[in-house]
C-alpha cells in the first residue's frame, strides 16, 4: 500500500476552485518534489494535507496508509505522522520553544498510546537535534520563532520535524527566503531524516532546492492538477524551459 | 443651566444609611467624626452609576441590589473554615496575617515577624484610641470616591504595617482575607502599609470566599513607599462566584521609590479594583499590571489613576482581560502628567482576549499631559485568538483545547512577567492554568 494516496482531489478556497482532480501517489521512503508556477495550487495542497480550515474539499480523497486523512483534525493528522513545514513559520510570543516542543511531542505520544518522555530524555533529544542544526540553547528558551531570522525559523521547523519523527513530511517552499548557506543547513537537516520509513512531499518554485535534496520523483502542478511526472531531470528541464510548454498545452 | 436632582435612594443606599445610623463602630471621637464626614461624602453622591464618568462601565447602583448586614466577628466554626485560605499561593513561604469575615484572627496569623517589621490590627489601634493616617488619601482622587468613603465610614479591621528604615524583609507578608460563608454579610477592611526609607517588602493580598453566596467586600489599602524604598504588591481577588468585591488602593511614592503592583481577578460576580497611584518624588518607578480572568456573567473592572506629580519618573502599565462566555472586562487607565513633571516616561497597554461572541471588553485609556518634555504612550486592543497561531500549534499535534490554553497563557504571561517574585509568578500562572483547564 502506498503511504500517501491522493485521488481526484478538488478543493475550493474562497469560492475559487484551486485543486482540480489532483492525483498523487507517494510510496514509503520516497521523496517527491512538486513544482509549478505561482497560483498552480502548491500551497493549497500543503495546507489541505495538514488540515487547515478554510479549504473546502469538494471531491476526491486523501489516504495515509489507507486511512482517510480528510476525516481527521490537524492535531490528529500530526499524531498520525503528518508534518507540514511552513513556508512562513509563525511567531508565538510567550510560548517558549521548549514548552512548545514538549507539549507537541507529549500530545502526539499520548494520542498514540505511548508514555510521555521523561524530562532528561526530552532534554537530551532536543539538545542532540538542536546541536546538529546549529540552534543555540538560548533560542530554545525564547518564544517560538520570536526575533528569529528567516533562516533560523526554517531551521526551527526542521528541528520540530526531527523531534516529532513524522512519517510524511510536507515541505512548503522550504527554500524561500534562504541564502545559500542557510539552505544547505536546512537541506542537510532534511537529508538526515530521510529513511525507508519516511516519505517527503517537497513543494517548491525553483529547482535550486532539488540540488540539495534530491528527489525520487518530480511532478509538475499546473492549474490544480499534476500534468507531468518524471525523474530529477524533469526539474532541470523546467529550470531551462520554464512552464511555457504547459501554457500552450493547456491552451 | 444645570439642575441638581437628588435621586431617589435605592434599597441598597437606604440600607447603608440605616446600618450606619445603627452600627456601633469602633474608635474614639475623632474617628467617629471622620466616619461621619465620609458617610456624608457618600450620601451626597450615593452609589456611583453610569453617568459618573469614572464608573461609566460599572454601574454600581444597578449592580448592587442591596446592602448586606455588617459581618459579625467570626465564631469558632467560621475560623475553622478559614484555615485553608490563601492556598493559591501556598508555594510561597510568607508571614500570614488572616482576616475572617473582615476581622483579624490572631490564632490563624503569624505574630512573630522579622525584625524591623511592626504589625498591628486596625481594630486594636481603634480600641487603643488611635486614628488612621489620612495623608495619602488627600488629593489622591480617592478622597471623594463614594466607595472609598463607605470604607472609611464602616471600616472595622485591617492590617497596619510599618517596615522600618533600610529593612529588607526577606519573607513576603501575606494578608489573607476570607469570607467564611456563614451568611451573606458585608465586610469593610482598611489596611495601611508604610515602607520607610530604603526598606523593601513583598506584600501579598488575597481575597476569597464560597461560591453561590452574595456576600459583599469593600477593601481599602493605602501604601506609602518612602524615598528609595521598594514595594511589590500582588493582589489575588478570587472571590466566590456570587460575591461583590470593591477595592480601593491608594499609593504614594517618594523619590527613587519603586512600586511593582499586580492585580489578579479570578472569580467574583462583580469586581471593581480602583488604584490611585501618585509619584510624588523624583525618579520614582512604577509598574502596574493586572489580569482579569472571567467567565459566565462575571464583571470585573480595573481602573487606574496614575498621577505623575513630579518629574523624572517612569511608569509601565499593562492591563489585560481574558473574557469567556458572557463576561465583561473593564480596563480604565488615566495617566496624569503635571506641568512640572518633565522627563516623565509613561507607557500604558490594555489588551483583551475575547473567547466568546457574547463577551464584552470596555477600554478607556487616557493621557492628560501638562508638561512638554515627556515620553508617553498608550495602546489598546481587543480581539479573539489568532486562528493561524492555533493552526500552527495544532499542526504539531497539540489538541485544540491545549493549543488555546497555551496561547491564552502566553497572553496572560506578558502581564505576569512583570511580577518580580518568582514564586508568585509561578502561583499566578498555575492558577491561570487551572482556570483554563476547567474551561468547557
Amino acid at each position: 500500500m502506498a503511504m500517501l494516496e491522493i485521488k481526484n482531489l478538488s478543493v475550493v478556497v474562497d469560492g475559487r476552485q484551486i485543486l482540480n482532480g489532483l492525483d498523487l501517489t507517494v510510496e514509503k521512503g520516497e521523496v517527491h518534489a512538486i513544482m509549478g508556477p505561482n497560483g498552480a495550487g502548491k500551497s493549497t495542497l500543503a495546507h489541505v494535507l495538514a488540515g487547515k480550515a478554510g479549504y473546502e474539499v469538494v471531491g476526491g480523497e486523501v489516504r495515509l496508509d489507507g486511512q482517510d486523512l480528510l476525516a481527521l483534525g490537524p492535531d490528529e493528522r500530526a499524531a498520525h505522522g503528518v508534518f507540514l513545514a511552513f513556508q512562513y513559520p509563525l511567531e508565538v510570543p510567550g510560548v517558549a520553544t521548549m514548552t512548545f516542543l514538549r507539549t507537541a511531542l507529549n500530545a502526539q505520544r499520548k494520542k498514540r498510546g505511548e508514555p510521555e518522555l521523561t524530562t532528561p530524555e526530552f532534554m537530551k533529544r532536543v539538545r542532540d537535534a538542536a546541536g546538529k542544526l546549529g540552534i543555540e540553547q538560548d533560542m530554545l528558551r525564547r518564544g517560538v520563532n520570536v526575533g528569529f531570522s528567516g533562516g533560523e525559523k526554517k531551521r526551527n521547523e526542521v528541528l520540530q520535524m526531527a523531534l516529532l519523527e513524522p512519517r510524511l513530511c510536507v515541505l512548503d517552499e522550504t527554500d524561500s527566503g534562504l541564502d545559500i548557506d542557510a539552505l544547505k543547513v536546512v537541506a542537510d537537516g532534511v537529508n538526515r531524516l530521510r529513511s525507508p520509513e519516511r516519505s517527503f512531499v517537497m513543494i517548491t518554485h525553483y529547482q535550486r532546492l532539488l540540488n540539495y535534496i534530491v528527489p525520487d520523483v518530480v511532478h509538475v502542478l499546473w492549474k490544480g492538477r499534476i500534468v507531468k511526472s518524471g525523474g530529477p531531470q524533469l526539474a532541470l528541464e523546467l529550470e531551462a524551459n520554464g512552464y511555457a510548454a504547459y501554457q500552450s498545452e493547456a491552451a | 443651566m444645570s439642575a441638581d436632582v437628588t435621586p431617589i435612594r435605592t434599597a441598597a443606599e437606604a440600607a447603608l444609611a440605616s446600618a450606619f445610623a445603627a452600627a456601633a463602630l469602633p474608635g474614639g471621637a475623632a474617628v467617629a467624626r471622620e466616619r461621619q464626614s465620609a458617610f456624608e461624602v457618600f450620601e451626597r453622591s450615593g452609589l456611583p452609576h453610569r453617568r459618573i464618568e469614572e464608573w461609566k462601565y460599572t454601574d454600581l447602583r444597578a449592580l448592587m441590589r442591596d446592602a448586606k448586614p455588617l459581618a459579625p466577628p467570626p465564631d469558632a466554626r467560621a475560623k475553622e473554615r478559614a484555615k485553608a485560605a490563601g492556598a493559591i499561593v501556598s508555594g510561597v513561604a510568607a508571614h500570614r496575617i488572616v482576616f475572617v469575615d473582615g476581622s483579624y484572627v490572631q490564632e490563624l496569623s503569624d505574630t512573630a515577624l522579622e525584625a524591623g517589621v511592626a504589625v498591628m490590627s486596625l481594630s486594636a489601634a481603634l480600641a487603643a484610641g488611635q486614628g488612621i493616617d489620612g495623608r495619602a488619601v488627600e488629593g489622591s482622587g480617592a478622597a471623594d470616591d463614594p466607595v472609598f468613603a463607605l470604607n472609611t465610614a464602616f471600616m472595622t479591621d485591617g492590617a497596619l504595617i510599618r517596615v522600618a528604615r533600610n529593612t529588607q524583609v526577606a519573607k513576603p507578608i501575606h494578608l489573607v482575607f476570607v469570607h467564611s460563608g456563614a451568611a451573606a454579610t458585608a465586610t469593610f477592611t482598611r489596611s495601611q502599609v508604610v515602607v520607610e526609607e530604603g526598606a523593601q517588602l513583598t506584600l501579598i493580598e488575597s481575597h476569597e470566599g464560597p461560591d453561590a453566596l452574595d456576600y459583599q467586600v469593600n477593601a481599602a489599602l493605602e501604601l506609602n513607599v518612602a524615598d528609595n524604598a521598594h514595594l511589590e504588591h500582588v493582589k489575588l481577588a478570587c472571590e466566590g462566584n456570587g460575591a461583590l468585591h470593591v477595592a480601593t488602593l491608594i499609593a504614594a511614592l517618594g523619590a527613587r521609590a519603586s512600586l511593582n503592583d499586580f492585580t489578579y481577578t479570578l472569580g467574583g460576580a462583580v469586581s471593581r479594583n480602583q488604584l490611585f497611584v501618585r509619584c510624588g518624588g523624583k525618579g520614582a518607578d512604577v509598574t502596574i499590571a493586572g489580569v482579569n480572568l472571567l467567565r459566565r456573567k462575571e464583571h470585573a473592572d480595573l481602573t487606574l489613576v496614575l498621577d505623575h506629580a513630579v518629574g523624572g519618573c517612569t511608569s509601565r502599565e499593562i492591563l489585560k482581560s481574558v473574557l469567556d462566555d458572557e463576561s465583561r472586562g473593564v480596563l480604565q487607565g488615566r495617566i496624569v502628567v503635571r506641568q512640572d513633571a518633565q522627563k516623565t516616561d509613561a507607557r500604558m497597554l490594555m489588551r483583551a482576549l475575547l473567547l466568546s461572541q457574547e463577551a464584552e471588553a470596555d477600554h478607556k485609556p487616557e493621557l492628560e499631559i501638562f508638561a512638554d518634555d515627556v515620553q508617553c504612550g498608550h495602546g489598546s486592543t481587543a480581539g479573539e485568538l489568532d486562528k493561524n497561531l492555533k493552526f500552527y500549534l495544532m499542526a504539531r499535534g497539540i489538541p485544540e483545547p491545549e493549543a488555546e490554553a497555551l496561547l491564552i497563557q502566553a497572553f496572560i504571561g506578558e502581564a505576569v512577567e512583570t511580577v518580580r517574585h518568582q514564586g508568585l509568578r509561578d502561583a499566578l500562572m498555575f492558577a491561570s492554568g487551572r482556570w483554563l483547564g476547567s474551561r468547557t
Side-chain angles (χ1 to χ4, degrees):
Chain A
M1 189 198 303
M3 176 174 285
L4 177 67
E5 193 145 38
I6 302 176
K7 277 190 195 155
N8 200 25
L9 183 64
S10 295
V11 173
V12 171
V13 183
D14 289 334
R16 265 186 65 214
Q17 182 143 1
I18 307 294
L19 296 185
N20 257 312
L22 183 143
D23 292 306
L24 177 68
T25 301
V26 179
E27 299 292 340
K28 214 195 241 184
E30 286 182 348
V31 176
H32 287 227
I34 298 189
M35 302 185 69
N38 286 329
K42 299 192 301 293
S43 280
T44 296
L45 174 61
H47 286 137
V48 168
L49 288 177
K52 192 172 187 191
Y55 294 80
E56 193 194 344
V57 177
V58 293
E61 59 178 30
V62 178
R63 293 191 176 273
L64 182 75
D65 298 321
Q67 176 161 27
D68 179 8
L69 206 57
L70 299 176
L72 304 177
D75 54 321
E76 296 167 313
R77 295 184 197 196
H80 275 88
V82 177
F83 183 94
L84 169 65
F86 281 56
Q87 181 178 6
Y88 303 108
L90 283 90
E91 297 190 6
V92 197
V95 179
T97 305
M98 275 300 202
T99 309
F100 172 61
L101 292 174
R102 188 202 295 252
T103 309
L105 189 58
N106 282 333
Q108 291 201 17
R109 293 179 69 91
K110 192 172 160 193
K111 205 160 274 174
R112 293 193 292 257
E114 298 162 13
E116 293 197 351
L117 285 184
T118 63
T119 301
E121 174 60 22
F122 169 77
M123 298 295 284
K124 186 181 172 301
R125 289 195 190 188
V126 174
R127 261 199 309 274
D128 291 352
K132 285 183 190 146
L133 289 159
I135 294 173
E136 307 280 338
Q137 292 297 306
D138 170 60
M139 283 169 66
L140 299 174
R141 282 190 284 270
R142 293 186 353 224
V144 176
N145 293 327
V146 176
F148 288 18
S149 70
E152 287 169 335
K153 285 179 182 171
K154 294 288 169 82
R155 271 190 276 161
N156 199 12
E157 293 290 286
V158 179
L159 171 66
Q160 293 166 36
M161 204 192 317
L163 282 170
L164 297 172
E165 301 177 318
R167 313 194 51 234
L168 173 70
C169 304
V170 181
L171 276 54
D172 187 9
E173 307 265 4
T174 287
D175 49 336
S176 71
L178 294 187
D179 62 31
I180 199 72
D181 294 325
L183 179 59
K184 278 182 187 163
V185 174
V186 168
D188 286 349
V190 172
N191 285 328
R192 273 196 298 273
L193 296 175
R194 290 179 77 153
S195 96
E197 297 299 317
R198 184 172 291 138
S199 307
F200 289 81
V201 172
M202 231 183 341
I203 286 163
T204 183
H205 199 72
Y206 300 106
Q207 190 267 336
R208 187 179 72 156
L209 176 67
L210 308 186
N211 290 336
Y212 299 95
I213 307 172
V214 180
D216 299 302
V217 187
V218 174
H219 305 276
V220 178
L221 182 63
W222 176 261
K223 292 196 171 166
R225 303 180 59 197
I226 303 285
V227 292
K228 189 167 186 180
S229 303
Q233 81 288 347
L234 178 55
L236 296 170
E237 284 169 29
L238 285 169
E239 189 77 358
N241 305 324
Y243 296 100
Y246 304 97
Q247 185 94 46
S248 54
E249 214 168 272
Chain B
M1 204 187 100
S2 70
D4 278 337
V5 179
T6 308
I8 298 163
R9 270 187 182 175
T10 64
E13 288 163 351
L16 286 164
S18 52
F20 186 70
L25 294 158
V31 173
R33 275 195 302 278
E34 212 167 322
R35 293 185 188 279
Q36 182 59 40
S37 69
F39 198 76
E40 283 162 13
V41 168
F42 168 73
E43 288 231 287
R44 275 196 292 276
S45 58
L47 285 169
H49 50 82
R50 63 194 160 82
R51 283 192 213 89
I52 308 288
E53 188 58 28
E54 292 82 355
W55 290 82
K56 188 173 169 178
Y57 302 109
T58 300
D59 187 335
L60 204 59
R61 181 171 287 174
L63 290 167
M64 188 174 160
R65 295 281 168 77
D66 56 359
K68 302 298 178 190
L70 290 179
D75 57 18
R77 256 181 64 208
K79 289 176 189 173
E80 184 59 33
R81 282 191 214 166
K83 267 190 175 158
I88 188 169
V89 288
S90 58
V92 177
H95 299 291
R96 285 160 59 94
I97 300 174
V98 180
F99 298 86
V100 179
D101 296 339
S103 293
Y104 173 63
V105 178
Q106 189 173 350
E107 59 264 41
L108 295 179
S109 302
D110 294 323
T111 47
L113 299 182
E114 292 170 40
V117 182
V119 178
M120 188 178 198
S121 71
L122 176 67
S123 53
L126 292 175
Q130 296 175 23
I132 54 159
D133 182 351
R135 277 175 298 184
V137 178
E138 283 163 28
S140 72
D144 45 10
D145 177 81
V147 161
F148 181 69
L150 276 180
N151 184 278
T152 305
F154 285 100
M155 61 186 177
T156 47
D157 213 340
L160 306 178
I161 301 173
R162 178 171 287 270
V163 180
R165 208 183 153 111
N166 295 329
T167 304
Q168 315 294 307
V169 185
K171 252 201 221 178
I173 293 178
H174 182 181
L175 303 181
V176 181
F177 296 93
V178 51
H179 198 286
S180 70
T185 52
T187 64
F188 294 84
T189 56
R190 175 74 151 267
S191 299
Q192 291 188 325
V193 176
V194 178
V195 188
E196 291 185 354
E197 270 180 49
Q200 174 273 325
L201 174 70
T202 300
L203 180 70
I204 309 167
E205 178 191 359
S206 67
H207 295 261
E208 65 197 274
D211 280 338
L213 185 73
D214 51 347
Y215 64 93
Q216 298 176 340
V217 172
N218 182 327
L221 174 63
E222 295 167 45
L223 305 174
N224 190 331
V225 191
D227 293 356
N228 297 311
H230 303 284
L231 175 63
E232 173 150 272
H233 169 240
V234 174
K235 172 175 174 179
L236 306 114
C238 307
E239 302 284 14
N241 61 19
L244 172 83
H245 178 100
V246 291
T248 306
L249 179 135
I250 300 163
L253 279 86
R256 295 168 306 280
S258 76
L259 171 67
N260 212 44
D261 192 88
F262 191 90
T263 303
Y264 184 67
T265 300
L266 186 159
V270 176
S271 306
R272 158 97 169 184
N273 280 290
Q274 46 182 7
L275 288 71
F276 302 91
V277 180
R278 184 169 188 271
C279 292
K282 286 200 173 185
D285 181 27
V286 174
T287 301
I288 308 280
V291 171
N292 294 323
L293 217 48
L294 308 176
R295 58 169 50 134
R296 293 184 289 267
K297 286 177 184 288
E298 291 164 357
H299 174 120
D301 173 337
L302 183 53
T303 292
L304 165 70
V305 180
L306 178 57
D307 185 356
H308 279 279
V310 300
C313 299
T314 307
S315 72
R316 292 288 176 269
E317 291 78 45
I318 175 162
L319 311 176
K320 296 204 166 191
S321 297
V322 177
L323 307 169
D324 207 349
D325 303 331
E326 296 166 65
S327 64
R328 189 173 181 194
V330 180
L331 300 175
Q332 303 190 102
R334 191 164 92 229
I335 300 178
V336 183
V337 181
R338 309 256 171 203
Q339 199 167 353
D340 294 333
Q342 301 295 0
K343 307 283 183 199
T344 292
D345 181 350
R347 259 156 250 253
M348 175 163 56
L349 178 68
M350 296 175 174
R351 290 183 69 193
L353 189 54
L354 298 151
L355 301 179
S356 124
Q357 296 288 325
E358 285 77 37
E360 181 178 326
D362 300 294
H363 293 180
K364 195 170 66 176
E366 296 172 275
L367 290 174
E368 283 177 26
I369 304 173
F370 300 100
D372 52 16
D373 182 14
V374 299
Q375 287 196 43
C376 295
H378 65 69
S380 168
T381 64
E384 52 183 12
L385 279 172
D386 188 317
K387 289 192 176 69
N388 290 321
L389 283 182
K390 203 162 97 177
F391 172 64
Y392 188 48
L393 299 184
M394 290 179 70
R396 296 297 175 253
I398 302 174
E400 188 166 16
E402 277 183 67
E404 290 194 353
L406 266 182
L407 294 174
I408 297 166
Q409 285 211 295
F411 177 84
I412 297 166
E414 195 193 358
V416 171
E417 270 170 26
T418 63
V419 173
R420 293 196 186 130
H421 192 290
Q422 163 123 36
L424 288 171
R425 279 202 307 273
D426 293 347
L428 288 164
M429 290 315 293
F430 184 77
S432 304
R434 268 231 308 242
W435 186 87
L436 289 169
S438 65
R439 269 184 80 205
T440 46

